Amino acid sequence: MLIQGVSGDPIVYLNGVFGPLSEAKISVLDRGFIFGDGVYEVVPIYHGKPFRMAQHLARLERSLAKIHIQQPMTKVQWEGLVNDLVAKAPDNTCMVYIQISRGVAKRDHGYPVPAVTPTVFAMVSPMLLPTAAQREKGVRLVSIRDERWLHCDIKSVSLLGNVLAKQAAVDAGVDEVVQFRDGNLTEGATCNIWVVQDGKVIAPLKNNLVLEGIRYGLFEELCAEVGIPFELRVVSEAETRSADELMMSSATREVLPVAELDGKPVGSGKPGPVYQKLRAAYDARIAALA
């Protein structure tokens, strides 16, 4: 079975069994398929080693708790599963995708009673790292109104709002979007957005309007290491548009400078000094895994 964009027939994990992707099957009544009733997590792998695994598993635990799905594995079991999948992967720099749905039951909006067994799926995919041009010249973004739901802190598989936001970037021929809700910055379609003003890194508060990227904690650590002030607070659209620097971050795109927003240069239109310091510190963390 050929799947568009997927090379070969990689080994995946589904409900306790490892096997080829082409043979992995779930019921059409799985609530993840019917309702998007599930959560997911993506763990980046460098040199065969998970990057910030504890933080990713903690976020997975939070997402499960918020939608009342019982944790199907212990921390040690998750770590073992990730390592087993990486061992079967052709490349030791990759990403592990984990998805848990509520399970299979009659189609009914309410939770099934008694609870059914969650569906657990995991696979390894290639990690398309930022290009040299993106790192050295920056990326282009456009702004849109944030029209998603009010539980963005849950890493839910119900991603239609993010899909529509990302398509807005695709349609505009740029790399990403910056979303604003009620005049304030939230995030991108698939990333967090960081504002730099007067040498300080500023990001939106960790609340229900933003998915707390694992880089939230990482950037706070890196800023402390290299002596950059760091602050979480409400960030207005006006502040975002007048920023000295903008950055975007995610598990797969790491940290990238934003050179242009809505066709206008951000700051000098080139990667700024704060980005350069954070990029170097970020690269050192990755190199330490080798």
Side-chain angles (χ1 to χ4, degrees):
M1 178 182 65
L2 296 178
I3 300 176
Q4 181 175 313
V6 176
S7 177
D9 197 9
I11 298 299
V12 302
Y13 172 93
L14 179 62
N15 294 333
V17 177
F18 291 95
L21 177 62
S22 62
E23 297 178 10
K25 303 290 189 298
I26 64 167
S27 168
V28 294
L29 288 181
D30 188 278
R31 289 178 63 95
F33 176 72
I34 293 290
F35 293 120
D37 185 3
V39 298
Y40 74 103
E41 192 59 55
V42 178
V43 183
I45 310 294
Y46 295 96
H47 312 294
K49 299 176 183 176
F51 186 58
R52 298 184 76 81
M53 179 71 162
Q55 290 85 353
H56 281 282
L57 291 182
R59 185 171 64 180
L60 179 63
E61 177 73 36
R62 292 195 299 272
S63 292
L64 286 168
K66 286 175 180 177
I67 67 169
H68 312 112
I69 293 180
Q70 185 172 354
Q71 171 65 268
M73 292 192 189
T74 65
K75 178 177 179 290
V76 171
Q77 288 173 323
W78 281 123
E79 291 173 344
L81 172 58
V82 168
N83 289 328
D84 286 345
L85 282 168
V86 172
K88 301 175 190 300
D91 190 347
N92 66 1
T93 294
C94 53
M95 61 182 184
V96 176
Y97 175 87
I98 297 168
Q99 178 171 311
I100 305 163
S101 80
R102 196 172 304 277
V104 179
K106 181 187 74 170
R107 187 185 184 283
D108 188 4
H109 284 67
Y111 298 164
V113 179
V116 293
T117 302
T119 298
V120 180
F121 173 73
M123 65 178 178
V124 174
S125 299
M127 184 156 61
L128 302 178
L129 295 172
T131 66
Q134 289 175 324
R135 290 173 54 132
E136 295 166 10
K137 296 182 180 180
V139 294
R140 297 184 302 141
L141 280 60
V142 294
S143 64
I144 63 172
R145 185 173 64 180
D146 191 342
E147 298 179 331
R148 301 169 302 161
W149 69 332
L150 298 178
H151 295 283
C152 298
D153 53 321
I154 301 171
K155 199 166 177 66
S156 166
V157 298
S158 306
L159 286 170
L160 185 55
N162 300 70
V163 168
L164 294 173
K166 184 65 176 183
Q167 190 59 40
V170 173
D171 292 342
V174 299
D175 300 281
E176 249 290 358
V177 297
V178 176
Q179 298 185 92
F180 297 106
R181 191 192 295 259
D182 299 327
N184 295 317
L185 171 66
T186 54
E187 57 191 347
T190 60
C191 65
N192 291 125
I193 302 294
W194 305 82
V195 172
V196 178
Q197 285 283 20
D198 300 323
K200 178 189 286 188
V201 171
I202 308 167
L205 295 169
K206 296 183 285 187
N207 57 25
N208 64 301
L209 303 180
V210 172
L211 176 66
E212 180 188 341
I214 301 303
R215 266 117 294 274
Y216 259 75
L218 176 59
F219 276 25
E220 186 170 8
E221 293 173 17
L222 297 181
C223 284
E225 284 179 16
V226 299
I228 297 173
F230 178 90
E231 183 180 8
L232 300 182
R233 61 171 174 80
V234 174
V235 183
S236 71
E237 180 173 349
E239 287 180 287
T240 306
R241 294 189 181 280
S242 64
D244 298 329
E245 300 178 41
L246 290 178
M247 299 178 291
M248 57 179 282
S249 69
S250 71
T252 56
R253 285 178 288 183
E254 303 171 335
V255 53
L256 287 172
V258 178
E260 178 185 295
L261 175 59
D262 289 336
K264 298 179 180 179
V266 175
S268 67
K270 298 178 181 179
V274 171
Y275 163 75
Q276 300 288 5
K277 287 183 180 180
L278 283 178
R279 178 79 253 181
Y282 198 117
D283 288 344
R285 288 290 185 99
I286 294 171
L289 295 175

